[in-house]
């Protein structure tokens, strides 16, 4: 007997403001970049609030353009509860679209595969559900922000 496939339940959308990338340059692992997170908003049935400044996205861009992302930041819920976020994933697409993204230009999100797996930690009992489920997110990169739609795996 087969088990039913998992489903997805929408949790929230995030708009995360970012500073221009700081490139460390090409290393053995690929080009290393650090992108400061400067703020943002979170809104949805599962969580609403703001993204606090002070986090960052640590990226490695491989020779074929595949970007490995690893962002760490804090969300302050509308009621003041704090949620630590560690979000890892990848971004990939046609070389010309990836080059436009690297130059800070707007790119149609439909051209780019951008998926992440956010994990959450919180001391707030009413948000403990964030720590006992898996989540997937779809993303889009704009010149000054990242948009994420976050879904709980059911």
């Amino acid at each position: 007997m087969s088990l039913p496939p998992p489903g997805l339940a929408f949790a929230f959308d995030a708009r995360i403001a970012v500073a221009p990338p700081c490139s460390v340059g090409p290393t053995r692992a690929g080009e290393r970049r650090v992108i400061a997170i400067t703020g943002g908003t979170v809104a949805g049935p599962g969580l609403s609030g703001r993204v606090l400044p002070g986090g960052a996205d640590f990226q490695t861009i491989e020779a074929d353009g595949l970007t490995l992302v690893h962002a760490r930041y804090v969300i302050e819920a509308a009621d003041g509860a704090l949620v630590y976020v560690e979000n890892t994933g990848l971004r990939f697409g046609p070389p010309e679209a990836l080059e436009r993204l690297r130059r800070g230009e707007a790119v149609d999100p439909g051209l780019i595969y951008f998926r992440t797996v956010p994990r959450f930690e919180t001391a707030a009992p009413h948000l403990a559900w964030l720590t006992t489920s898996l989540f997937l997110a779809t993303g889009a990169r704009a010149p000054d922000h990242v948009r994420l739609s976050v879904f709980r795996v059911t």
Side-chain angles (χ1 to χ4, degrees):
M1 176 172 92
S2 295
L3 296 174
L8 297 175
F10 175 67
F12 61 88
D13 284 328
R15 186 180 190 281
I16 302 166
V18 295
C22 172
S23 178
V24 174
T27 70
R28 289 182 181 186
E31 180 186 353
R32 294 282 188 178
R33 298 190 332 164
V34 178
I35 301 166
I37 293 172
T38 60
T41 57
V42 172
L47 183 65
S48 292
R50 66 186 185 114
V51 176
L52 298 179
D57 182 8
F58 303 89
Q59 299 182 347
T60 304
I61 303 173
E62 297 181 353
D64 63 357
L66 176 68
T67 301
L68 305 175
V69 300
H70 189 140
R72 296 176 180 187
Y73 53 96
V74 175
I75 295 170
E76 180 182 46
D79 64 3
L82 298 177
V83 179
Y84 171 78
V85 182
E86 191 160 343
N87 197 5
T88 58
L90 55 88
R91 188 173 66 215
F92 192 69
E96 59 279 356
L98 293 173
E99 183 55 36
R100 287 177 40 221
L101 273 181
R102 288 177 57 110
R103 290 193 307 259
E105 299 174 17
V107 174
D108 176 359
L111 295 175
I112 305 293
Y113 182 86
F114 185 1
R115 303 292 185 271
T116 66
V117 180
R119 295 186 62 199
F120 305 98
E121 295 178 28
T122 184
H126 67 286
L127 294 175
W129 65 275
L130 289 167
T131 68
T132 59
S133 293
L134 294 176
F135 292 84
L136 295 173
T138 59
R141 177 69 157 95
D144 65 347
H145 69 277
V146 173
R147 288 187 338 225
L148 295 175
S149 288
V150 178
F151 299 85
R152 182 179 163 265
V153 179
T154 60

